[in-house]
Amino acid sequence: MRLLALSATLLALAATTAPASAQGPAPLAAEGCLGCHGPEGRGVAGGIAIAGRDRAELVAIMTAFRANERPGTIMGRIARGYTDAEIAAVAEHFSRIR
Amino acid sequence: MTTTFPRRAFLVAGAALAAPATLRAQGTAMRLVVIGGGFGGASAASFARRTYPDVQVTLVEPQPRFVTCPYGNLLLGGERQIGQITHSYDGLRARGVDVIHDRAAGIDAPTKRVRLAGGAVLAYDRLILSPGIAIRWGAIEGYDEAAAQHMPHAWIPADGSQTLLLRRQLEAMPDGGVVGFAIPGNPFRCPPGPYERISMVAHYLKRHKPRSKILALDAKEGFSKQGLFQDGWRALYGDMIEWVPGNRDGRVVKVDVAERVLETEFGTRHKVDVANVIPPQSAASVAAASGLVNDTGWVPVNTRTFEARAAAGVHVIGDANIPGPMPKSGYVANTTAKQAVAAAVALHRGQTPPEPVYFNTCYSHVGENYGISVVGIFRPNADGTAIVEVPNSGGVSPRGDLPEQRRLEAIHADAWYESITRSMFG
């Protein structure tokens, strides 16, 4: 993890001279996932990894949670707070992490 | 190796002056100062460095290491050691955050400066203020800092000594003793916290001192996840726990340290063997000293940017603010920290802050393999005057005999702790 963190820092530092991305930061809706799904959504200590999964699969999972059509402990309650646009943005974000 | 940023580039007075050459080189970088290295402040500093590499971030925090409030209750239950809930700031340093171990004494918003107790003055472009809470000493008669050495609050971990003191007292108590809790009215830090603490103390007593009792004296008539907690208490601990609500004379108004007595509103004196007094609270003193609080003792904020209503450019997050229907929780501090940073950077650049969405995910351990949760998703309303919970979302775990749900939530709670602390300090 330390190596990963250092790599991320170096990458971040390399970007300091570039202008801020027009797209801005990771969608804040996706940032909200990290408190349970770990850094970058990779899953730690029994937390479920959501990084690197197929975009359409993530959309389908979140939509099913939201419709109460998929069993879970807390994700149904959470998914019902998301808009379609946020589900799409979150799925896009985590599907791009490799 | 850790960073190429100049250290203390915007220290305008006090100890070391940064090298002039590096000052010139970084002259246009946005200077973000974060006060407080807890769930709000550490999250803000980490997110700012991950997301805006061209922003200089300085974090001001008095403690050399951070002891979390969450999972402190598991320490009381004998399920964690202090080292497992103590976190270093080295990870933030490795991300390029300049960590200064000092206390913010005052903020001058018009000149955009923070004065530190050690004498230094920091200049900022935007300030993230996440100072946490202060105990309202004297709100309960007889309960002052000296009394807290005998009847710990263990509600502000600081160096962990309060939590460890309470643990030692539980260990020293004979079997058959009474553990008394004094629990405040709303609002206070971590609404389910006292009840998870009751659960974890019961968990310890059941194993080691099963004839003991818990007397929970509460200023309120109801509490977070109440049905779930009380179901769990009955199932796991039988009649060990007595909860006395405010309308049944549960509000503690006075303590007698020498006699180990908790006295309630109508003069009932409850003698206990160990007392955990969780007193009424307010925003930490720097918020009041800087003129940010209203008559509630907490800081009103903009619902989209978290700027204090009383001070432009000062974004107040974490337990110190008035967050509408959101609880004063670690998760809310973590997610609102990100919005506050994103808004601060956008405003500094003359851009519109992003569309906000705020989350709360809060687990409580009731016993072994027995976790419960409350979640919430929140947004500002249409005109931005208030934060509201998204209708038909969120809520607590289902009630009923659901051992697999409880077991999984206990596992997810542990993953929550690892995830959120890594997102703060990793």
Side-chain angles (χ1 to χ4, degrees), chain B residues 133-203:
Chain B
I133 60 165
I135 300 291
R136 285 174 50 207
W137 302 111
I140 295 174
E141 189 181 337
Y143 196 73
D144 56 16
E145 285 173 276
Q149 297 308 310
H150 303 276
M151 294 180 166
H153 54 77
W155 215 244
I156 301 177
D159 61 358
S161 57
Q162 277 278 302
T163 310
L164 290 169
L165 172 62
L166 183 55
R167 172 67 190 171
R168 284 197 303 274
Q169 291 182 342
L170 292 168
E171 287 172 341
M173 187 183 83
D175 189 9
V178 176
V179 181
F181 288 87
I183 305 170
N186 293 321
F188 64 101
R189 163 177 281 175
C190 190
Y195 312 97
E196 183 192 59
R197 178 170 293 180
I198 289 165
S199 307
M200 286 295 97
V201 170
H203 170 73

Side-chain angles (χ1 to χ4, degrees), chain B residues 209-260:
Chain B
K209 293 157 191 184
R211 294 190 296 113
S212 306
K213 295 287 183 191
I214 290 174
L215 178 64
L217 301 167
D218 204 328
K220 301 181 295 302
E221 277 80 62
F223 58 86
S224 174
K225 313 178 197 169
Q226 182 172 352
L228 288 161
F229 271 117
Q230 291 181 321
D231 290 349
W233 291 347
R234 271 190 296 274
L236 300 174
Y237 309 116
D239 61 356
M240 179 182 279
I241 300 164
E242 181 185 1
W243 175 71
V244 184
N247 59 5
R248 293 195 176 176
D249 197 22
R251 191 162 78 90
V252 172
V253 296
K254 185 177 178 180
V255 299
D256 183 335
V257 171
E259 297 294 323
R260 285 204 299 270

